Amino acid sequence: MASYFRTTKSNAKIVALLKLLLLSYFASCFAGNLNQDFDITWGDGRAKILNNGNILTLSLDKASGSGVQSKNEYLFGKIDLQLKLVRGNSAGTVTAYYEKVTLDREQQFYLWFDPTSDFHTYSILWNPQTIIFYVDGTPIRVFKNLESQGVPFPKNQPMRVYSSLWNADDWATRGGLVKTDWTQAPFTASLRNFRANACVWKSIKSSCNSGPNNSSTKPWLGQELDSASEARLKWVQQNYMVYNYCADTKRFVQGLPLECTVNNTTT
């Protein structure tokens, strides 16, 4: 399942669009040097790792965008990545941070700050009980483990972390009505401070299978939202959510997905 942090900006108004698809797969160790954390996978030189591995930049022009993927695969953990999005009139561009398996369970949000003026932290917590998406420590989405009620939950498949910058003016801006202004190119987004406090998957086994797995060594394994975080989540979803697949009856004409009809805070 993929988890996307997708953002766009249209003229003076920030339209920071987070496409968060359900089922994620994480795990790893603390990371400090992006040369050690990521491989550049496409873009013909448009993606660059700079400043002794401290900054990763993705660039987009009319010919191509660019992308990277993590060197490690992950299963269960807490992943953090700081992003600064494309400045100026970047309508039509999409900066994505995700795990690559798509089930089309999308929610979209306006952000409550300008994501192009500075770095902000985008995080995903994944443990056997829940998946929680955060922006600067504020939860914006939760997907609970409801396997007992027939809802699939990711717990076996490891995944890599991906990030890319690409042109999506056929759909990202009011259904493609606003096209990318290529006179503003190249467009550049920046990434830094990738941290994976989690379990590395290598040779068909998890690094968490060796050593103690308890609240002191891996606090994220049992982490869930407390009452204050639940209230913050409700505030975000009431004030900044602009699309929720669980409310899209036109899209799901045969009926909403099962998780939308049971007790789950994704709805």
PDB file of all heavy atoms in Angstrom, residues 46-60:
ATOM      1  N   ARG A  46      18.756  15.013 -12.587  1.00  0.00           N
ATOM      2  CA  ARG A  46      17.919  16.061 -11.993  1.00  0.00           C
ATOM      3  C   ARG A  46      17.772  15.902 -10.478  1.00  0.00           C
ATOM      4  O   ARG A  46      17.396  16.856  -9.801  1.00  0.00           O
ATOM      5  CB  ARG A  46      16.547  16.072 -12.658  1.00  0.00           C
ATOM      6  CG  ARG A  46      16.589  16.566 -14.104  1.00  0.00           C
ATOM      7  CD  ARG A  46      15.247  16.402 -14.799  1.00  0.00           C
ATOM      8  NE  ARG A  46      15.288  16.938 -16.155  1.00  0.00           N
ATOM      9  CZ  ARG A  46      15.782  16.269 -17.191  1.00  0.00           C
ATOM     10  NH1 ARG A  46      16.271  15.045 -17.020  1.00  0.00           N
ATOM     11  NH2 ARG A  46      15.785  16.821 -18.398  1.00  0.00           N
ATOM     12  N   ALA A  47      18.025  14.717  -9.957  1.00  0.00           N
ATOM     13  CA  ALA A  47      18.065  14.512  -8.505  1.00  0.00           C
ATOM     14  C   ALA A  47      19.519  14.570  -8.054  1.00  0.00           C
ATOM     15  O   ALA A  47      20.394  13.968  -8.683  1.00  0.00           O
ATOM     16  CB  ALA A  47      17.444  13.177  -8.139  1.00  0.00           C
ATOM     17  N   LYS A  48      19.772  15.288  -6.960  1.00  0.00           N
ATOM     18  CA  LYS A  48      21.142  15.464  -6.480  1.00  0.00           C
ATOM     19  C   LYS A  48      21.193  15.344  -4.965  1.00  0.00           C
ATOM     20  O   LYS A  48      20.277  15.797  -4.267  1.00  0.00           O
ATOM     21  CB  LYS A  48      21.701  16.828  -6.895  1.00  0.00           C
ATOM     22  CG  LYS A  48      21.861  17.022  -8.403  1.00  0.00           C
ATOM     23  CD  LYS A  48      22.439  18.399  -8.690  1.00  0.00           C
ATOM     24  CE  LYS A  48      22.778  18.569 -10.170  1.00  0.00           C
ATOM     25  NZ  LYS A  48      21.586  18.502 -11.026  1.00  0.00           N
ATOM     26  N   ILE A  49      22.242  14.720  -4.453  1.00  0.00           N
ATOM     27  CA  ILE A  49      22.512  14.673  -3.018  1.00  0.00           C
ATOM     28  C   ILE A  49      23.699  15.591  -2.753  1.00  0.00           C
ATOM     29  O   ILE A  49      24.784  15.394  -3.308  1.00  0.00           O
ATOM     30  CB  ILE A  49      22.794  13.240  -2.544  1.00  0.00           C
ATOM     31  CG1 ILE A  49      21.558  12.358  -2.810  1.00  0.00           C
ATOM     32  CG2 ILE A  49      23.140  13.219  -1.059  1.00  0.00           C
ATOM     33  CD1 ILE A  49      21.745  10.902  -2.449  1.00  0.00           C
ATOM     34  N   LEU A  50      23.493  16.615  -1.916  1.00  0.00           N
ATOM     35  CA  LEU A  50      24.447  17.708  -1.759  1.00  0.00           C
ATOM     36  C   LEU A  50      24.883  17.848  -0.301  1.00  0.00           C
ATOM     37  O   LEU A  50      24.364  17.165   0.592  1.00  0.00           O
ATOM     38  CB  LEU A  50      23.800  19.020  -2.240  1.00  0.00           C
ATOM     39  CG  LEU A  50      23.180  18.999  -3.644  1.00  0.00           C
ATOM     40  CD1 LEU A  50      22.390  20.280  -3.892  1.00  0.00           C
ATOM     41  CD2 LEU A  50      24.262  18.812  -4.707  1.00  0.00           C
ATOM     42  N   ASN A  51      25.836  18.760  -0.081  1.00  0.00           N
ATOM     43  CA  ASN A  51      26.275  19.126   1.274  1.00  0.00           C
ATOM     44  C   ASN A  51      26.660  17.907   2.115  1.00  0.00           C
ATOM     45  O   ASN A  51      26.173  17.723   3.234  1.00  0.00           O
ATOM     46  CB  ASN A  51      25.199  19.936   1.998  1.00  0.00           C
ATOM     47  CG  ASN A  51      24.904  21.254   1.321  1.00  0.00           C
ATOM     48  OD1 ASN A  51      25.669  21.714   0.464  1.00  0.00           O
ATOM     49  ND2 ASN A  51      23.797  21.864   1.671  1.00  0.00           N
ATOM     50  N   ASN A  52      27.524  17.078   1.544  1.00  0.00           N
ATOM     51  CA  ASN A  52      28.018  15.895   2.260  1.00  0.00           C
ATOM     52  C   ASN A  52      26.898  14.965   2.712  1.00  0.00           C
ATOM     53  O   ASN A  52      26.953  14.370   3.784  1.00  0.00           O
ATOM     54  CB  ASN A  52      28.860  16.314   3.466  1.00  0.00           C
ATOM     55  CG  ASN A  52      30.104  17.083   3.064  1.00  0.00           C
ATOM     56  OD1 ASN A  52      30.796  16.702   2.117  1.00  0.00           O
ATOM     57  ND2 ASN A  52      30.391  18.170   3.770  1.00  0.00           N
ATOM     58  N   GLY A  53      25.871  14.861   1.878  1.00  0.00           N
ATOM     59  CA  GLY A  53      24.777  13.954   2.182  1.00  0.00           C
ATOM     60  C   GLY A  53      23.681  14.519   3.052  1.00  0.00           C
ATOM     61  O   GLY A  53      22.783  13.778   3.461  1.00  0.00           O
ATOM     62  N   ASN A  54      23.702  15.815   3.314  1.00  0.00           N
ATOM     63  CA  ASN A  54      22.699  16.420   4.207  1.00  0.00           C
ATOM     64  C   ASN A  54      21.426  16.863   3.502  1.00  0.00           C
ATOM     65  O   ASN A  54      20.374  16.983   4.136  1.00  0.00           O
ATOM     66  CB  ASN A  54      23.312  17.624   4.939  1.00  0.00           C
ATOM     67  CG  ASN A  54      24.357  17.213   5.945  1.00  0.00           C
ATOM     68  OD1 ASN A  54      24.168  16.238   6.671  1.00  0.00           O
ATOM     69  ND2 ASN A  54      25.460  17.926   5.983  1.00  0.00           N
ATOM     70  N   ILE A  55      21.499  17.137   2.198  1.00  0.00           N
ATOM     71  CA  ILE A  55      20.350  17.644   1.440  1.00  0.00           C
ATOM     72  C   ILE A  55      20.182  16.813   0.171  1.00  0.00           C
ATOM     73  O   ILE A  55      21.159  16.488  -0.512  1.00  0.00           O
ATOM     74  CB  ILE A  55      20.540  19.126   1.054  1.00  0.00           C
ATOM     75  CG1 ILE A  55      20.547  20.007   2.290  1.00  0.00           C
ATOM     76  CG2 ILE A  55      19.429  19.590   0.102  1.00  0.00           C
ATOM     77  CD1 ILE A  55      19.200  20.186   2.959  1.00  0.00           C
ATOM     78  N   LEU A  56      18.938  16.479  -0.145  1.00  0.00           N
ATOM     79  CA  LEU A  56      18.614  15.820  -1.397  1.00  0.00           C
ATOM     80  C   LEU A  56      17.648  16.728  -2.144  1.00  0.00           C
ATOM     81  O   LEU A  56      16.623  17.145  -1.582  1.00  0.00           O
ATOM     82  CB  LEU A  56      17.979  14.464  -1.131  1.00  0.00           C
ATOM     83  CG  LEU A  56      17.793  13.486  -2.300  1.00  0.00           C
ATOM     84  CD1 LEU A  56      17.635  12.064  -1.779  1.00  0.00           C
ATOM     85  CD2 LEU A  56      16.590  13.835  -3.182  1.00  0.00           C
ATOM     86  N   THR A  57      17.961  17.073  -3.379  1.00  0.00           N
ATOM     87  CA  THR A  57      17.076  17.924  -4.167  1.00  0.00           C
ATOM     88  C   THR A  57      16.519  17.137  -5.344  1.00  0.00           C
ATOM     89  O   THR A  57      17.211  16.342  -5.981  1.00  0.00           O
ATOM     90  CB  THR A  57      17.795  19.178  -4.697  1.00  0.00           C
ATOM     91  OG1 THR A  57      18.893  18.795  -5.532  1.00  0.00           O
ATOM     92  CG2 THR A  57      18.305  20.031  -3.545  1.00  0.00           C
ATOM     93  N   LEU A  58      15.237  17.368  -5.614  1.00  0.00           N
ATOM     94  CA  LEU A  58      14.561  16.809  -6.776  1.00  0.00           C
ATOM     95  C   LEU A  58      14.188  17.951  -7.699  1.00  0.00           C
ATOM     96  O   LEU A  58      13.705  18.993  -7.245  1.00  0.00           O
ATOM     97  CB  LEU A  58      13.293  16.061  -6.348  1.00  0.00           C
ATOM     98  CG  LEU A  58      13.478  14.878  -5.392  1.00  0.00           C
ATOM     99  CD1 LEU A  58      12.120  14.367  -4.928  1.00  0.00           C
ATOM    100  CD2 LEU A  58      14.279  13.767  -6.039  1.00  0.00           C
ATOM    101  N   SER A  59      14.420  17.766  -8.999  1.00  0.00           N
ATOM    102  CA  SER A  59      14.160  18.827  -9.955  1.00  0.00           C
ATOM    103  C   SER A  59      13.241  18.335 -11.068  1.00  0.00           C
ATOM    104  O   SER A  59      13.255  17.157 -11.434  1.00  0.00           O
ATOM    105  CB  SER A  59      15.488  19.326 -10.554  1.00  0.00           C
ATOM    106  OG  SER A  59      15.264  20.397 -11.447  1.00  0.00           O
ATOM    107  N   LEU A  60      12.438  19.264 -11.585  1.00  0.00           N
ATOM    108  CA  LEU A  60      11.498  18.975 -12.664  1.00  0.00           C
ATOM    109  C   LEU A  60      11.593  20.060 -13.717  1.00  0.00           C
ATOM    110  O   LEU A  60      11.542  21.253 -13.402  1.00  0.00           O
ATOM    111  CB  LEU A  60      10.064  18.920 -12.112  1.00  0.00           C
ATOM    112  CG  LEU A  60       8.911  18.974 -13.127  1.00  0.00           C
ATOM    113  CD1 LEU A  60       8.855  17.691 -13.956  1.00  0.00           C
ATOM    114  CD2 LEU A  60       7.574  19.207 -12.413  1.00  0.00           C
TER     115      LEU A  60
END
